Amino acid sequence: APAPGGSAFEAIGGCFAARRQVLVVLVMDESASLGDASEDRPGTDPDARRVTAAQVAVDGIANLASQGTRVEVLLTGFAERLTTYGGWRRLAPSTRRAIAEDLEGFRDRNSGVDTDFYNAMEGVRLALTRRTAEITSGEPCRLVLLFTDGRFDIDSDGAKPYAAARSEE
């Protein structure tokens, strides 16, 4: 969390400097509400600006990583559930372009049925927990960047894994 009066960017920079190891999960919305300009299907992000924003974020994080911080990136997408695209990859000058190119694939990933934030964030939490447990050189800084239209939309007829947990409380 950012310090009072400080920005989120200052908090991120401080975490990078203090921990020297960062895990970044890029979480990309893949739901149909985004639309697709090439198919004349209007929506909230028909030109896939979320992809451009994610690429800009990777560039900024790569600049911080070039100052001696080890950064690992995990690309994920979500609609009804979280999907991981590849595994954890080190962000370095040699991998920066490949990660940006992999983000390009999200321009066409916009036909998911739901936009289930619970499932997405639970998947992110599990991925971060697993990777953190594998690190033996101290606690890493963890950063989750969510690129979405913010529309929560789930099929109320389908069973949700978190619905059972709530009914047991």
Side-chain angles (χ1 to χ4, degrees):
S7 74
F9 295 108
E10 290 169 339
I12 291 167
C15 191
F16 273 49
R19 303 285 175 88
R20 310 305 284 177
Q21 185 162 7
V22 181
L23 301 178
V24 178
V25 183
L26 298 172
V27 186
M28 306 296 294
D29 190 340
E30 299 179 319
S31 63
S33 66
L34 299 165
D36 187 342
S38 68
E39 294 180 8
D40 197 29
R41 192 167 45 94
T44 57
D45 187 21
D47 298 315
R49 290 188 176 142
R50 72 194 183 289
V51 174
T52 303
Q55 290 168 331
V56 168
V58 166
D59 285 345
I61 292 166
N63 287 335
L64 289 171
S66 69
Q67 299 172 19
T69 300
R70 179 182 173 87
V71 178
E72 294 180 40
V73 175
L74 181 66
L75 297 181
T76 67
F78 80 103
E80 49 277 345
R81 72 185 59 81
L82 186 77
T83 302
T84 300
Y85 294 95
W88 289 97
R89 290 187 284 175
R90 181 145 188 211
L91 179 58
S94 61
T95 62
R96 185 176 181 175
R97 182 180 301 270
I99 291 170
E101 288 173 1
D102 287 348
L103 282 166
E104 278 296 315
F106 286 95
R107 290 189 189 278
D108 298 324
R109 294 184 187 130
N110 53 16
S111 58
V113 176
D114 292 342
T115 310
D116 196 321
F117 290 95
Y118 178 91
N119 285 342
M121 292 301 102
E122 181 62 11
V124 167
R125 185 188 67 76
L126 290 171
L128 283 168
T129 298
R130 286 183 192 122
R131 183 64 191 118
T132 299
E134 296 169 351
I135 296 172
T136 59
S137 60
E139 183 76 13
C141 180
R142 293 179 291 246
L143 178 62
V144 177
L145 298 176
L146 175 65
F147 298 90
T148 179
D149 62 1
R151 184 174 172 196
F152 178 66
D153 182 20
I154 59 171
D155 178 5
S156 60
D157 295 333
K160 298 294 178 186
Y162 47 84
R166 286 187 164 219
S167 65
E168 292 172 7
E169 291 179 355

